[in-house]
Amino acid sequence: MTFQNIRKFLITFSMLLFPITIWYFSPYIIIMAAMQHIINGSFIVFTLMFLLGIFFGRLWCGFLCPAGGMSECFEHFSPKTPKQGWRNYLKYGIWFVWLSGVIVCHILGKGNYTIQPFFKTEHGISISNIYCYTIYYGIIFLFLIPAIVHGKRASCHYICWMAPFMILGYKLGSALHLPQLKIKMHKDNCIECGKCNKVCKMSVDVKSFVLSNKVNDIRTAECILCGECVSSCPKNVFTYKITNR
């Protein structure tokens, strides 16, 4: 199997597991748990996203995110490039309001703190009855509609409540000059074919980074380290590297 086949297998498998794991990414279940002073599964997952983001950025989005797997499947309906700009900041507004609500619920909550990773699951399984499928299919449509209207991985660009955890982790790691996984560039090899831009899952203008004299890696919070540019470049311009620069 090629590198990209392995990546696609992992993210597709994660998508297929979504009925089991959906509560561990739920922005609502964490609020329910907060009111009871419970550290639940989604609290743990979101914390890990931030901590791992310090060293690996948005690698999760490119390889293991079930919502990302859905978004890549939905590309077949609308492969166009989402518009960049103010819409990219919507996810930060959503995240800020929601996280503020979680904090308030923890402040107002009652009881001693307990750790319950399987809170509101049946033996660890999220969708354990037919009524839960209403929420499950609602989430699918939440990611499907932006993909159809705006293009590939539009939900990741505009509304994902998980991305800011990894983005803030990545920015913290960069500020502290900690070792981070990045896609580095060998600019002298570039023939300016533009293939990197065409294959990028997040519609990043990769070519502009290659031609820039200011950076030697893909330096944007929208990069999910999927490695499509690494695999598709005919001149091996791109490579993964752990660096603190």
Side-chain angles (χ1 to χ4, degrees), residues 16-36:
L16 294 175
L17 289 178
F18 204 31
I20 297 175
T21 62
I22 187 172
W23 286 173
Y24 303 101
F25 309 106
S26 171
Y28 176 65
I29 298 296
I30 191 175
I31 289 177
M32 293 178 62
M35 292 298 294
Q36 303 175 50

Side-chain angles (χ1 to χ4, degrees), residues 63-83:
F63 284 80
L64 293 170
C65 181
M70 287 191 292
S71 295
E72 292 196 12
C73 287
F74 297 154
E75 281 182 28
H76 300 289
F77 296 106
S78 181
K80 62 185 178 181
T81 300
K83 292 182 179 180

Side-chain angles (χ1 to χ4, degrees), residues 35-208:
M35 292 298 294
Q36 303 175 50
H37 280 176
I38 294 172
I39 304 300
N40 71 316
S42 54
F43 185 104
I44 295 170
V45 168
F46 295 143
T47 301
L48 286 174
M49 284 181 177
F50 171 75
L51 295 175
L52 293 175
I54 293 174
F55 304 100
F56 300 103
R58 293 180 66 179
L59 186 72
W60 163 268
C61 302
F63 284 80
L64 293 170
C65 181
M70 287 191 292
S71 295
E72 292 196 12
C73 287
F74 297 154
E75 281 182 28
H76 300 289
F77 296 106
S78 181
K80 62 185 178 181
T81 300
K83 292 182 179 180
Q84 307 301 308
W86 64 268
R87 293 185 182 90
N88 286 63
Y89 296 97
L90 286 175
K91 60 178 175 285
Y92 298 106
I94 293 169
W95 178 82
F96 179 79
V97 172
W98 161 64
L99 190 63
S100 298
V102 173
I103 294 172
V104 169
C105 288
H106 272 287
I107 294 172
L108 298 179
K110 298 179 180 180
N112 296 324
Y113 272 98
T114 59
I115 300 176
Q116 299 182 32
F118 302 135
F119 178 73
K120 290 296 180 180
T121 69
E122 186 69 33
H123 303 292
I125 297 174
S126 300
I127 307 298
S128 56
N129 61 69
I130 194 169
Y131 303 105
C132 294
Y133 275 97
T134 304
I135 299 173
Y136 172 68
Y137 286 113
I139 295 295
I140 290 178
F141 279 107
L142 180 66
F143 280 83
L144 172 62
I145 293 173
I148 293 175
V149 175
H150 296 289
K152 57 184 181 181
R153 278 196 179 244
S155 299
C156 303
H157 282 284
Y158 303 151
I159 64 173
C160 181
W161 58 89
M162 296 176 280
F165 288 108
M166 290 168 277
I167 292 171
L168 291 176
Y170 165 77
K171 290 184 179 296
L172 177 62
S174 295
L176 296 176
H177 301 290
L178 296 174
Q180 293 182 308
L181 180 65
K182 296 182 179 180
I183 294 180
K184 305 287 284 186
M185 300 173 295
H186 305 285
K187 299 187 178 188
D188 294 339
N189 295 351
C190 181
I191 57 174
E192 300 186 30
C193 65
K195 193 169 185 179
C196 50
N197 279 17
K198 294 178 182 178
V199 300
C200 180
K201 292 296 181 183
M202 289 296 288
S203 307
V204 174
D205 186 2
V206 180
K207 186 178 175 182
S208 67

